């Protein structure tokens, strides 16, 4: 999809872009100019609109998605350097496996790892059985949302973990990749999701050990 210009957007979307860009600007002052922030906000909004069932939370989700992308772009360009390793979890819909892996990593590593997740064909919402299974172990992923992978995030991370997205997953020479063969929780009940959840925890613990990051 070709990126749209601000003037091409309906008035309500222009207003959203202005509001989100103004909220992001203080965090990236001296790093990115207004044009770069606005461009990424427009693109983030468009990508989320492609799968959205409702636009009620679009401003908040657009801000979160654009913030992640700006942070990744800053690391990539050297304006926001970070000594903390970054990991991207990718599956097809970013509604199950990758969300559980991201949740476990944040829970076990805290701010010692930067965590991203994405999908090759993002769903409109996270699998409810996955949310319930993670809630059982004290990890709340209800505020997470499916989103596509983006070029700047893939290029900025240290490790890309793929889960069933096959050839649709982005490949960059020299980057560390791991493919985790895991059952897809789509359509499964919570009893069937639990073993997948627990296996993902084991794999995340091994990943953190390989990054010399201690798990809580």
């Amino acid at each position: 999809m070709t990126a749209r210009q601000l003037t091409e957007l309906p008035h309500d979307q222009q207003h959203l872009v202005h509001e989100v860009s103004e909220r992001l600007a203080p965090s990236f002052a001296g790093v990115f100019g207004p044009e770069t922030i606005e461009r990424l906000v427009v693109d983030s909004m468009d990508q989320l609109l492609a799968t959205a069932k409702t636009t009620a939370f679009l401003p908040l989700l657009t801000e979160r998605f654009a913030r992640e992308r700006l942070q990744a772009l800053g690391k990539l360009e050297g304006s926001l350097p970070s000594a903390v390793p970054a990991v991207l979890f990718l599956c097809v819909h970013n509604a199950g496996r990758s969300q559980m892996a991201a949740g476990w990593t944040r829970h076990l590593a805290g701010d010692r790892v930067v965590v991203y997740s994405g999908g090759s064909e993002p769903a409109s919402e996270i699998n409810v059985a996955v949310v319930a299974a993670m809630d059982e172990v004290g990890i709340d992923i209800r505020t997470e949302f499916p989103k596509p992978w983006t070029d700047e995030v893939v290029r900025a991370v240290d490790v890309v973990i793929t889960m069933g997205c096959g050839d649709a997953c982005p490949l960059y020479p020299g980057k560390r990749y791991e493919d985790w063969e895991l059952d897809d929780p789509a359509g499964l009940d919570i009893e069937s999701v639990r073993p997948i959840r627990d296996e993902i925890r084991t794999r995340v613990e091994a990943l953190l050990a390989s990054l010399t990051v201690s798990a809580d």
Side-chain angles (χ1 to χ4, degrees), residues 200-212:
I200 289 175
R201 173 174 184 153
T202 299
R203 290 175 179 264
V204 166
E205 288 173 336
L207 172 65
L208 295 178
S210 75
L211 296 171
T212 64

Side-chain angles (χ1 to χ4, degrees), residues 164-185:
C165 50
D167 294 340
C169 289
L171 293 174
Y172 288 89
K175 188 169 294 294
R176 176 183 167 186
Y177 285 86
E178 290 185 19
D179 184 61
W180 292 359
E181 292 188 9
L182 297 160
D183 291 337
D184 188 346

Side-chain angles (χ1 to χ4, degrees), residues 28 49 166 197:
F28 298 97
L49 277 171
R197 174 199 68 195

